[in-house]
Amino acid sequence: MKFIVKLHPEVMIKSKSVRIRFSKLLVSNIRNVLRKVDPEAAVSFNWDHIVVNSRNADEPMRDELVERLQSIPGIAHFFEVTQYHYETIDDIYQHAQKAFAERLAGKTFCVRVKRSGKQEFSSLDVEKYVGGGLNQNTDAAGVKLKDPDITVSIQIEGDLAYIIERRHNGLGGMPLATQEDVLSLISGGFDSGVSSFLTIKRGCRTHYCFFNLGGADHERGVQEVAYYLWSKFGNSHKVRFLSVPFEQVVEEILEKVDNGQMGVVLKRMMMKVAATLADRYDIPALVTGEAMGQVSSQTLTNLNVIDRATEKLILRPLINWDKQDIIDLSRKIGTLPYAEVMPEYCGVISQKPTVKAVLAKIEAEEAKFSEGLVERVAQETQYFDIRDLANIGKTAAVEIDTVAAPDAGDIVLDIRAPEEEEEAPLNIEGTEVTVLPFFKLASKFTGLDQDKTYLLYCDRGVMSKLQALYLKEQGHNNVKVYRP
């Protein structure tokens, strides 16, 4: 089994020294990826292509090798070829007839030959001989030199003939590690998954930073997305997954920051912590899935204020993308199934968010935070080698009961942010309602009477489910979700 790999055109036009360096990196990347499928696969570099040889000829192995090669950044396309020694043009024809006879039935075709070395015949001689033989001895619909249904491609090098049986498109882009590392702020949704893919495709070793706002269940879901992206497109190099415990930041935002400024402050705090972590691992840039105008914090004015939270370069691959285009690409690369079921965090949502944040006002709000908050959060961040996430898999779902009406003796916990609760207090006749904002559940829930059953409530049911999952994972089986 043999494949001829063609480099992405942007690599081909580099200077000689850069082209050689990029090509050698791609050879190394291909080896690293394919050895996990076929340890004996041989990869060699020629000036304008890379050759992959595998002694294993079974169909499942062939399918796996094709799939892996299609997902390696830096490959424009590759050919699946069969190699033969020949003595005459008729030998070449016989091999082509064997490979294409069935596929040509009812189809128009043409023969294209590329030749190197010294032979007694020209490329045109081979095209005429092979084309005439196939036209006469198969059920082809005839020769068509322009826009045929099938092109029979043959390459001749010295006394070897290569019958190109199939052409496969590659991923394109730059070979991984030809560009510097980046740290992607990943939430598991459509945007962050696609933006992470785009930086991998562009040759950046992409690490992942997750700000945990929704408990262990949400974290596992995001880990699955990150592991999928790495194993599918970037597993030639190991990367990090960083899980940031962000609850204390959210708590201070909700207690101390003016309502309209919360969204921008939250993003700035994420950038500050991510920049601190990136410095720790010598990563020069951050990546986000933000798109201009998609939500209130992503106006140009607000993005400018967010950027000023750090001197670190912030990349936004999706800045001018439409949402549907992002969803379409997530479907193509395989992250759509994860994004569709990923819960949206609804904890820090301003009632009247600013779309024109003023830097001085934002900095004044941030001055209210406790001293050393960013450093504490960075210090408590958990580090994972991405390879250690392999066994996460599809974790068994923790079942949370949802009820429409409380039973006698149940207590409803209103876990909404204080502003939401004050604007529309929850009153349920005959049922005790206790106000306990979600960001205080972790520290305050154990102080409640554990002989009671607690029904968690929020407006949209997302935060209540996330917090109920978290509490149940901590061993509290007396929690349910209240959705009237």
Side-chain angles (χ1 to χ4, degrees), residues 194-206:
V194 171
S195 62
S196 298
F197 162 76
L198 291 174
T199 55
I200 296 172
K201 180 182 176 183
R202 199 59 190 169
C204 295
R205 194 164 64 133
T206 301

Side-chain angles (χ1 to χ4, degrees), residues 337-483:
Y338 300 97
E340 284 181 323
V341 298
M342 197 65 61
E344 290 289 339
Y345 179 75
C346 62
V348 183
I349 298 177
S350 302
Q351 299 299 313
K352 296 180 180 179
T354 181
V355 294
K356 289 187 178 294
V358 177
L359 181 60
K361 291 183 179 179
I362 294 294
E363 290 176 337
E365 294 293 330
E366 292 173 349
K368 301 173 184 176
F369 291 146
S370 59
E371 185 176 353
L373 178 61
V374 170
E375 291 73 17
R376 286 200 307 276
V377 171
Q379 190 64 35
E380 294 171 7
T381 294
Q382 287 184 290
Y383 159 88
F384 300 89
D385 184 317
I386 195 76
R387 296 170 297 181
D388 295 337
L389 305 184
N391 297 322
I392 291 175
K394 293 295 182 183
T395 52
V398 177
E399 294 297 327
I400 296 295
D401 292 334
T402 300
V403 300
D407 290 332
D410 289 349
I411 297 176
V412 173
L413 283 185
D414 187 343
I415 67 168
R416 293 176 294 172
E419 292 81 2
E420 295 177 277
E421 190 276 328
E422 290 173 6
E423 185 173 306
L426 181 65
N427 295 300
I428 306 172
E429 186 175 351
T431 298
E432 180 182 345
V433 177
T434 299
V435 176
L436 184 62
F438 70 93
F439 53 85
K440 292 186 177 181
L441 272 176
S443 58
K444 300 293 186 183
F445 187 80
T446 53
L448 301 177
D449 183 354
Q450 296 303 307
D451 291 330
K452 299 287 187 179
T453 296
Y454 295 93
L455 313 182
L456 275 58
Y457 171 79
C458 71
D459 285 338
R460 288 184 284 177
V462 178
M463 180 57 65
S464 53
K465 183 177 181 181
L466 286 173
Q467 294 299 326
L469 285 168
Y470 171 77
L471 290 172
K472 196 159 188 177
E473 287 168 347
Q474 302 307 306
H476 300 291
N477 293 313
N478 57 335
V479 292
K480 299 178 181 179
V481 173
Y482 175 52
R483 292 291 291 159

Side-chain angles (χ1 to χ4, degrees), residues 141-417:
V143 174
K144 186 180 181 184
L145 298 180
K146 186 176 181 180
D147 296 327
D149 296 323
I150 294 175
T151 297
V152 177
S153 297
I154 302 171
Q155 292 189 12
I156 300 171
E157 297 178 5
D159 62 349
L160 294 176
Y162 299 95
I163 308 298
I164 299 176
E165 298 192 10
R166 295 178 183 86
R167 182 186 189 277
H168 303 279
N169 290 327
L171 193 62
M174 295 287 189
L176 205 59
T178 56
Q179 311 303 313
E180 295 173 274
D181 289 13
V182 297
L183 182 63
S184 178
L185 279 59
I186 187 167
S187 66
F190 297 104
D191 304 339
S192 61
V194 171
S195 62
S196 298
F197 162 76
L198 291 174
T199 55
I200 296 172
K201 180 182 176 183
R202 199 59 190 169
C204 295
R205 194 164 64 133
T206 301
H207 306 270
Y208 302 94
C209 181
F210 167 61
F211 290 91
N212 195 340
L213 305 172
D217 193 65
H218 189 193
E219 179 179 17
R220 281 196 295 269
V222 176
Q223 286 176 337
E224 288 176 2
V225 179
Y227 183 81
Y228 169 81
L229 286 166
W230 172 79
S231 62
K232 178 75 172 178
F233 304 108
N235 72 354
S236 57
H237 293 73
K238 67 178 184 178
V239 300
R240 301 176 178 88
F241 182 94
L242 307 176
S243 180
V244 183
F246 222 52
E247 295 92 342
Q248 57 186 307
V249 176
V250 172
E251 182 173 349
E252 294 211 19
I253 288 175
L254 290 170
E255 289 184 339
K256 300 176 180 179
V257 174
D258 177 73
N259 187 277
Q261 318 296 321
M262 286 182 178
V264 174
V265 171
L266 177 70
K267 289 291 184 68
R268 278 174 56 89
M269 293 299 289
M270 287 181 173
M271 297 304 174
K272 289 179 179 182
V273 174
T276 300
L277 296 171
D279 284 339
R280 178 184 301 174
Y281 298 110
D282 197 26
I283 299 173
L286 308 178
V287 177
T288 81
E290 291 165 311
M292 184 166 50
Q294 191 174 107
V295 296
S296 61
S297 66
Q298 294 171 20
T299 63
L300 288 178
T301 298
N302 287 356
L303 290 174
N304 181 37
V305 171
I306 291 168
D307 282 358
R308 291 167 184 259
T310 174
E311 294 183 0
K312 190 71 68 177
L313 174 64
I314 300 174
L315 303 175
R316 296 183 172 91
L318 306 178
I319 191 64
N320 63 350
W321 283 46
D322 292 337
K323 189 68 175 185
Q324 189 58 52
D325 294 334
I326 297 170
I327 294 173
D328 289 345
L329 184 52
S330 74
R331 179 180 293 108
K332 182 177 179 180
I333 65 176
T335 57
L336 181 73
Y338 300 97
E340 284 181 323
V341 298
M342 197 65 61
E344 290 289 339
Y345 179 75
C346 62
V348 183
I349 298 177
S350 302
Q351 299 299 313
K352 296 180 180 179
T354 181
V355 294
K356 289 187 178 294
V358 177
L359 181 60
K361 291 183 179 179
I362 294 294
E363 290 176 337
E365 294 293 330
E366 292 173 349
K368 301 173 184 176
F369 291 146
S370 59
E371 185 176 353
L373 178 61
V374 170
E375 291 73 17
R376 286 200 307 276
V377 171
Q379 190 64 35
E380 294 171 7
T381 294
Q382 287 184 290
Y383 159 88
F384 300 89
D385 184 317
I386 195 76
R387 296 170 297 181
D388 295 337
L389 305 184
N391 297 322
I392 291 175
K394 293 295 182 183
T395 52
V398 177
E399 294 297 327
I400 296 295
D401 292 334
T402 300
V403 300
D407 290 332
D410 289 349
I411 297 176
V412 173
L413 283 185
D414 187 343
I415 67 168
R416 293 176 294 172

Side-chain angles (χ1 to χ4, degrees), residues 31 34-42 61:
R31 284 197 187 110
L34 296 191
R35 72 161 58 114
K36 300 166 186 175
V37 180
D38 180 3
E40 297 183 1
M61 175 67 75

Side-chain angles (χ1 to χ4, degrees), residues 84-96 129 161 163:
Y84 303 98
H85 284 277
Y86 73 92
E87 293 183 359
T88 66
I89 294 180
D90 188 67
D91 292 337
I92 299 173
Y93 158 69
Q94 295 296 336
H95 291 305
Y129 189 95
I163 308 298

Side-chain angles (χ1 to χ4, degrees), residues 37-161:
V37 180
D38 180 3
E40 297 183 1
V43 186
S44 58
F45 169 62
N46 292 308
W47 174 242
D48 65 344
H49 65 275
I50 294 168
V51 178
V52 176
N53 278 299
S54 173
R55 295 179 181 179
N56 195 322
D58 66 75
E59 195 66 17
M61 175 67 75
R62 174 254 170 204
D63 293 343
E64 182 71 11
L65 291 174
V66 168
E67 182 181 350
R68 293 299 181 100
L69 286 170
Q70 286 181 314
S71 301
I72 297 175
I75 296 177
H77 58 269
F78 58 96
F79 301 109
E80 197 173 337
V81 304
T82 306
Q83 173 184 301
Y84 303 98
H85 284 277
Y86 73 92
E87 293 183 359
T88 66
I89 294 180
D90 188 67
D91 292 337
I92 299 173
Y93 158 69
Q94 295 296 336
H95 291 305
Q97 203 274 345
K98 181 180 178 181
F100 283 92
E102 292 185 8
R103 278 187 271 170
L104 290 178
K107 307 284 187 177
T108 60
F109 76 98
C110 72
V111 178
R112 293 287 182 248
V113 176
K114 289 185 178 181
R115 185 177 57 88
S116 64
K118 294 183 178 181
Q119 294 89 15
E120 295 180 353
F121 49 79
S122 67
S123 298
L124 184 59
D125 293 335
V126 180
E127 290 178 356
K128 289 180 178 179
Y129 189 95
V130 174
L134 293 175
N135 194 36
Q136 293 177 18
N137 299 302
T138 68
D139 295 325
V143 174
K144 186 180 181 184
L145 298 180
K146 186 176 181 180
D147 296 327
D149 296 323
I150 294 175
T151 297
V152 177
S153 297
I154 302 171
Q155 292 189 12
I156 300 171
E157 297 178 5
D159 62 349
L160 294 176

